[in-house]
Amino acid sequence: SGSKLLCAVVFLTSLVCSACSPKTGFVHSASLDGDGRYNIKWGFDESTISFEAEVETKGYIGFGLSPTGAMASSDIVIGGVLNGSPYLLDYFTDSSRKVHKDPVQSYQLLYGRENDTHTVLAFSRNIQTCDDNDKVITGSTVRVIWAFHEEDVGASGPVYHGMNRGRKSLRLLNPGTSSSIPAGTAFFDLQNEKVHVPDKETTYWCRIFKFPEMKRKHHVIRIEPLIQKGHENLVHHILLYQCDSNLNKSEINREHECYHPNMPDSFFTCETILFAWAIGGEGFTYPPHVGMSIGTSIDPVLVQMEVHFDNPSLQKGKVDSSGLRLYFSPNLRRYDAGVIETGVWVSLYHMLPPGMQDYITEGHCTQECLQESLNSEMPSGVHVFAVLLHAHLAGRAIRARHFRQQVELPPLASDDQFDFNFQEFQPLSQERLILPGDSLITECRYNTKGRMNMTWGGLSARDEMCLSYLIYYPRVNLARCESLPEITGQLKFIGVKEIQEPVTTWPFVIKSPKKFSNLSFTEAMDKYRWTRKRGKEFNEVVRKLPMNVRCSKIGQDEWSIQGMIVSPPELKSEQTSEDVLPCRNVSESQFESFLTVFLAACLLLILQTHLHL
């Protein structure tokens, strides 16, 4: 009887502990600084997220969640180990960056320790705490701020951290693919060789490479960036395109500024996107059943690597050798992967008025394009397993929306806290089937409040884009599925009546009315007196305009729907932007813990009574 009672006590104790204590399975990790002095691990379940910070200090550690990446209006936790005892306090900052102790202590200390060089601190909180001073954690980008000091927190509070601080954007609840691949996996590098970066704001640099010769089919299973140290903010994105395999061998290793009037003709054959990396991304690992095929007659042989250098301070003397590393294996997966570029066709016809707090652009991958291409190539549909959402500096939020028979399904991907400096492929928690006749909308929200002139669709970081890159399987002959609103309706809004014909210049020139006569359409748009009210009305007009469809195949071929004018679909139902967990406050959590303990005690009492009998 005594042994049975002891077993029951041990079992119930473990039951209570597991119910009341957060799980500490840290399956994700990141280095928050460039030198590896501040590293975190984290894990989460349906309601709780737990962190472990390992920092090169014997003083306090600061960790926070910020709406902008700055100190103001942030949710902060500060802790350390003092005289062998770990401590942790929940703080918040107001709009003036003043630090306040949070009346509701939402963070729970799990453990802490330190040695001669480092402090380790583990803590947890509810994903939704219902505390107005805490930041709600969602699947969107989270701007993590960090700091540390050589001294612990004293009676008067934490000492100012000085230069030991920084920020890093992460997706805590959707953290990307694992970098784990089998040891010894073969790889090859595509790297520029000492490119002298021009001292201008935006440069796109292109170079043609030849993939290694393969005697049989292989699969690329991981691609990661090779960014030259110190150039993390200079290299904004890298795109990899498939080129015409019949190009002359003399084109191999040829390099030139992309989109330049003197760009080699061979560069125009490189149009099919194979991979996209953008600033802040850590690389991408394909799922176990999918890979990028190389080595067969229809696979890429010659590729073009396009590197976007973003140099707003016009630095001189920068020499860059960044690129990509591709890991490949002879052990074939079941499916070949493909990439579809969807969203707004990059053009000056994509325009944003100045001074707008919230301006919405929609790029359509139309029902007509997916009907024609998938019916011909894969009537059973394709499976999307990762999405990269892409915009520039005015971007604030992006959604890749999915419709079937005009009824909206959950989004393929979304980011309500978009960060220009953190763009990487988001793996989908569940693969999504895209069927013939489905449609997609890439929806981008912009803020142009600080701008005095129009923002144009274009290549510069100060221009704008609205794109989503979908990685899917099995590979089909569809490279781009995009749209662009008709220009006529946009010009009509500002009162343009006639343009000069024949069109001999770009941007084309306005003929009437007189106030816009002999101005290019871009100059006319800038001259128009924009107000927030007019900008909102313009936005509503543009979203209802007929669209020019882009529906292109791999290479330079097109589906027949390309260039056709269609109207935006009439949607039968729509979904809200992002799901937020229902509010669970501290008292509710405490009550659940109390209830668990109470029930366990009752069960223990029943067992004791039974054993005595």
Side-chain angles (χ1 to χ4, degrees), residues 358-379:
D358 188 29
Y359 189 90
I360 300 174
T361 288
E362 293 175 336
H364 293 254
C365 176
T366 65
Q367 176 180 340
E368 293 83 357
C369 179
L370 290 177
Q371 185 79 45
E372 181 183 10
S373 59
L374 294 185
N375 258 344
S376 173
E377 294 276 315
M378 191 61 61

Side-chain angles (χ1 to χ4, degrees), residues 293-367:
S293 178
I294 56 175
T296 77
S297 59
I298 63 171
D299 291 335
V301 176
L302 299 180
V303 297
Q304 180 190 80
M305 186 175 73
E306 173 191 294
V307 179
H308 172 195
F309 295 111
D310 184 35
N311 188 14
S313 58
L314 311 182
Q315 298 177 77
K316 296 182 178 181
K318 289 288 184 180
V319 179
D320 185 76
S321 297
S322 297
L324 297 171
R325 173 164 291 174
L326 288 76
Y327 293 87
F328 65 100
S329 171
N331 301 318
L332 299 182
R333 276 96 186 275
R334 184 174 180 182
Y335 298 106
D336 296 339
V339 179
I340 304 174
E341 179 183 282
T342 70
V344 180
W345 195 338
V346 179
S347 166
L348 290 176
Y349 292 175
H350 176 207
M351 58 187 85
L352 319 175
M356 299 301 294
Q357 175 78 34
D358 188 29
Y359 189 90
I360 300 174
T361 288
E362 293 175 336
H364 293 254
C365 176
T366 65
Q367 176 180 340

Side-chain angles (χ1 to χ4, degrees), residues 15 36 51 69 92 94 96 103 117 176 263 301 363 372 429 497 511:
L15 176 66
F51 300 92
F92 69 93
D94 58 28
S96 301
T117 58
M263 186 178 80
V301 176
E372 181 183 10
S429 57
K497 297 179 179 178
K511 185 175 182 180

Side-chain angles (χ1 to χ4, degrees), residues 209-495:
F209 295 85
K210 183 179 181 182
F211 275 177
E213 291 188 10
M214 305 284 174
K215 293 183 179 180
R216 64 183 183 90
K217 180 175 178 176
H218 289 67
H219 269 142
V220 172
I221 62 173
R222 176 172 168 78
I223 304 178
E224 61 187 27
L226 299 173
I227 306 303
Q228 184 171 317
K229 190 171 178 58
H231 288 191
E232 289 80 8
N233 292 320
L234 178 67
V235 180
H236 180 263
H237 75 240
I238 301 176
L239 296 179
L240 195 62
Y241 296 91
Q242 180 174 348
C243 304
D244 186 342
S245 59
N246 295 319
L247 287 178
N248 193 293
K249 291 182 179 180
S250 62
E251 299 297 326
I252 298 171
N253 295 326
R254 191 168 187 180
E255 56 186 339
H256 199 279
E257 187 172 344
C258 321
Y259 314 111
H260 189 277
N262 298 326
M263 186 178 80
D265 290 342
S266 58
F267 285 20
F268 289 101
T269 74
C270 310
E271 291 197 335
T272 302
I273 292 175
L274 298 173
F275 183 74
W277 170 89
I279 189 168
E282 302 283 346
F284 181 78
T285 302
Y286 290 84
H289 56 298
V290 189
M292 185 176 80
S293 178
I294 56 175
T296 77
S297 59
I298 63 171
D299 291 335
V301 176
L302 299 180
V303 297
Q304 180 190 80
M305 186 175 73
E306 173 191 294
V307 179
H308 172 195
F309 295 111
D310 184 35
N311 188 14
S313 58
L314 311 182
Q315 298 177 77
K316 296 182 178 181
K318 289 288 184 180
V319 179
D320 185 76
S321 297
S322 297
L324 297 171
R325 173 164 291 174
L326 288 76
Y327 293 87
F328 65 100
S329 171
N331 301 318
L332 299 182
R333 276 96 186 275
R334 184 174 180 182
Y335 298 106
D336 296 339
V339 179
I340 304 174
E341 179 183 282
T342 70
V344 180
W345 195 338
V346 179
S347 166
L348 290 176
Y349 292 175
H350 176 207
M351 58 187 85
L352 319 175
M356 299 301 294
Q357 175 78 34
D358 188 29
Y359 189 90
I360 300 174
T361 288
E362 293 175 336
H364 293 254
C365 176
T366 65
Q367 176 180 340
E368 293 83 357
C369 179
L370 290 177
Q371 185 79 45
E372 181 183 10
S373 59
L374 294 185
N375 258 344
S376 173
E377 294 276 315
M378 191 61 61
S380 59
V382 297
H383 299 259
V384 176
F385 59 87
V387 179
L388 186 147
L389 303 170
H390 183 65
H392 287 175
L393 285 168
R396 294 296 181 270
I398 311 179
R399 282 195 292 165
R401 304 169 67 188
H402 182 198
F403 297 84
R404 182 164 295 154
Q405 298 176 347
Q406 285 74 54
V407 174
E408 185 163 16
L409 305 176
L412 295 176
S414 65
D415 192 342
D416 286 347
Q417 301 293 326
F418 176 77
D419 184 350
F420 170 76
N421 293 307
F422 177 61
Q423 303 183 49
E424 67 177 359
F425 275 105
Q426 299 181 31
L428 275 57
S429 57
Q430 291 185 326
E431 295 176 356
R432 183 69 62 82
L433 179 65
I434 308 294
L435 293 172
D438 284 4
S439 62
L440 309 172
I441 298 177
T442 301
E443 177 192 273
C444 297
R445 291 180 177 268
Y446 300 100
N447 184 323
T448 61
K449 277 188 70 175
R451 302 190 180 193
M452 304 302 294
N453 295 313
M454 296 292 288
T455 298
W456 304 99
L459 302 176
S460 166
R462 261 56 55 185
D463 296 331
E464 268 310 328
M465 293 185 180
C466 181
L467 299 171
S468 51
Y469 295 95
L470 316 181
I471 308 188
Y472 70 94
Y473 69 85
R475 178 175 55 179
V476 297
N477 195 4
L478 178 62
R480 288 183 171 89
C481 183
E482 298 167 328
S483 72
L484 193 62
E486 276 279 87
I487 187 62
T488 307
Q490 299 186 72
L491 293 176
K492 184 179 179 181
F493 181 86
I494 67 169

